Amino acid sequence: MEKELLELLSLFNYEEAARFVEKYQPAELAEIITKLHGTDEETLLPFCSAIESELLADTLVLLDADVQETILSGLRDYELEKVMDEMSVDETVEIIEDMPEELVRRIAELDDIMMLLKDRNYAVLKPLLASMNAIDLAEVFEETENDTDLLLLFRILPKDLAAETFIEMDSDVTKRLIDKLNDRELKAVMDELFLDDTVDLIEEMPASVVKRVLAQSDQETRAYINELLKYPKDSAGSIMTIEFVSLRPTMTVDDAFERIRRTAIDKETIYTCYVIDPTNKLLGLVTAKDLMLAPKTALIEEIMNENVIYAYTEDDKEDVARKISDYGFLALPIVDREMRLVGIVTVDDAMTVLQEENTEDIAKMAAVTPTEKPYLKTSIWRICLNRLPWLLILLVSSTFSGLIISANETTLNMPVYGIILTACMPMLMGTGGNAGSQASAMIIRGLAVKEVEFADFWRVVWKEVRVSILLGAMLSVACFIKLLVIDSLYAVTNGMLVALVICLSMFVTILFAKLIGAMLPLLAKKCRLDPAVVASPFITTIVDVLSLTIYCAFAVWFLGAV
C-alpha cells in the first residue's frame, strides 16, 4: 500500500486520498480496500464514500462478498444509488445474490428484479418482493409484459401483500392477471380485499371480468357490492366502505376493546370507532386514544364525542374529500337522510378523489376533455378526439380576431404608422391573454379550495381592478420606454403619439383582461358549471378580440387626423 495514501488516511483527509487513487486500476484499488477491510474498517467506509462512483463500482465487482457488504451497508442512500447506477444489471444481480435481505431492498431496482425473474432466481426474488411496498410492487407488475411472468410474480407474494398489490395495479394489468388466475386464487384475493376496493375494481373492469369476480364472492359480499354500486358515480356513497368498527353506548371500554380485537382484522380502519343505537343511528364517536386513556369500566356514552361531523350518501365526493382534508380526519362517517350510519370514507380514498379532480381541472383548463387513463396508455385517436372539439370551438371563436383586423384594414395600413401598429399586435394580444389567464387561475384555485365564493364577487372585482391598474401602469411605462429606445420611435414623426396609443391600449387591455379572468370563473360557478372550463383558452380568445377592438379604436381616435 502506498505510503502517501496511508499518511492521507491517517490524517482523515479522505477527499485527497480519493483523488490520489483515481490513477489506480480497479484491481489495484480492490487490493487496497481488502487490506483496509481487514485492518481498519473505520477508515474504510469514509474513504470509499469519497471515491468517485464509477471507480468504486468497477472495484466492487472484484471484491469478496463480505467486503462488498461492509462497503454497501456503510454508504448513504444517495451514494449507494450513484454507485449502483454505474453497474450493469448483470453485475448488480450477481452482487445482491450474496447480500442480506435488508441490503438487497436498498440496492435492487426495477431492472434488477426483472433480471431475477428472467433467471428464475426465486431464492433472492421471493424475500425481496415480500419486503417491498405494495405501490412499488404494482410498478413491477406494470413493467412485466409476459402474462406467465405476471402470474409467477403474483404467486410468490404472501397472500395479504398480494391483495394490497392487486388494488394498486393499473386496471389493464389487473385484467390480465385476473384472466390468468384460477378460481381458487381469485377467490383468495377477493376475500382479502376491502369492499370499497372491490367496488372500485368492478367499476373499471369489462362485464366478463366483473361476472367472474362476483362469482367468487360470497352472497353477503355480493349484496353489499350491489348496494354500493347503486350510488351515483360522483357521490360519497360510491367511495365509502362499510367496514368500520361500531360500538353501542352501553358498552364499557373493556367491552369495546374486546369487540375491536374480535373484528378489527376485517375493518379498514380502527382508529375511530362509531357509536350507534340498535337502528344504526349515529350517536357519536370515540377514538383509539379516548379508549386507551379511559378507565376500563367507563361506559362509551360517557366518553364519546357527540359533536360528529358527517356527510350524506348523496353528497358530492369532492366535497367530502375536501371536508376530510380541512378537518384532518382519518375517516368521515356517511349517513342516510334518517341519520343511520351506512359507511365511512377514509383519507386514502379522499386523496384519490382530490387527485382525480385536480387532474380533471388541469385538463379542462388546457381545453382538453378529461380521460381516466394515464397519458401513455391512452390511444392517439382518443387523445385526438379529446382535443379536437375544443380546438374547433376556439378556432371558430378566433375568427372574430380576423374580422376585426379586416374591418380596420384602413387604420392598420396607415403610411409609416401601419407597420408599427401591426408589429405591436402580437405583444398586445399576448400580454392581455397572459394577464387574464393569471387572474382566472387564481380564482379557479380559490373556488376549488373554498377560499373564494360567488358571494365575494364584488370584493374580487374591486381587488382585481386595483391590481390591474398597478400592473397596467408598470407594464405600460416599460412598454413606452421599450418603444422609444429599442424600437427607435423617437426618430419617427409623431412617434411619441404612436407609442402612447400602444401603451394606452395595453393599459386598458390589462384592466379588462384581469376583470374577465376573475369574473368568468365566478359566473360559471354560479351557473353550476365547472369554472375550469372557462380557463385560459377561452379567456385568451375573448381578450384577443377585446384587445384588438380597443387597439384599433385608440388608433383611429388618436392617429386618424394626424
Side-chain angles (χ1 to χ4, degrees), residues 12 34 47 87 115 145 178 224 228 248 252 342 381 441 483:
F12 308 111
T34 301
F47 173 51
M87 291 189 185
M115 180 62 74
E145 297 179 357
I178 290 175
Y224 282 131
L228 291 174
R248 296 283 189 236
T252 64
V342 292
W381 283 108
L483 290 169

Side-chain angles (χ1 to χ4, degrees), residues 219-231:
Q219 187 173 352
E220 183 181 7
T221 300
R222 282 199 298 274
Y224 282 131
I225 290 172
N226 291 330
E227 185 65 29
L228 291 174
L229 288 173
K230 291 178 183 177
Y231 293 106

Side-chain angles (χ1 to χ4, degrees), residues 160-185:
D160 54 346
L161 183 57
E164 290 178 33
T165 306
F166 193 79
I167 61 174
E168 298 293 345
M169 287 188 289
D170 182 81
S171 57
D172 292 339
V173 181
T174 306
K175 181 183 178 301
R176 286 170 51 204
L177 184 57
I178 290 175
D179 289 340
K180 298 295 289 185
L181 292 174
N182 59 45
D183 289 346
R184 181 179 56 80
E185 290 172 323

Side-chain angles (χ1 to χ4, degrees), residues 85 463 554:
D85 284 345
K463 183 180 283 288
F554 279 134

Side-chain angles (χ1 to χ4, degrees), residues 418-438:
I419 297 174
I420 300 170
L421 292 172
T422 303
C424 289
M425 282 168 52
M427 175 185 69
L428 190 67
M429 294 166 65
T431 303
N434 291 334
S437 297
Q438 284 180 335

Side-chain angles (χ1 to χ4, degrees), residues 410-411 413-418 420-421 489 492-501 553-562:
T410 304
T411 303
N413 284 333
M414 292 179 182
V416 182
Y417 305 141
I420 300 170
L421 292 172
L489 283 192
V492 178
T493 305
N494 294 318
M496 295 281 283
L497 186 59
V498 174
L500 180 64
V501 167
F554 279 134
V556 171
W557 189 6
F558 285 95
L559 302 175
V562 176

Side-chain angles (χ1 to χ4, degrees), residues 216-267:
Q216 302 309 316
S217 304
D218 56 52
Q219 187 173 352
E220 183 181 7
T221 300
R222 282 199 298 274
Y224 282 131
I225 290 172
N226 291 330
E227 185 65 29
L228 291 174
L229 288 173
K230 291 178 183 177
Y231 293 106
K233 184 178 179 181
D234 292 327
S235 68
S238 68
I239 60 169
M240 71 181 183
T241 178
I242 61 169
E243 290 158 324
F244 55 88
V245 176
S246 60
L247 304 174
R248 296 283 189 236
T250 54
M251 283 182 174
T252 64
V253 170
D254 219 12
D255 294 335
F257 275 124
E258 181 57 36
R259 178 172 174 78
I260 293 171
R261 276 190 289 268
R262 191 174 64 253
T263 63
I265 193 170
D266 297 321
K267 306 305 179 186

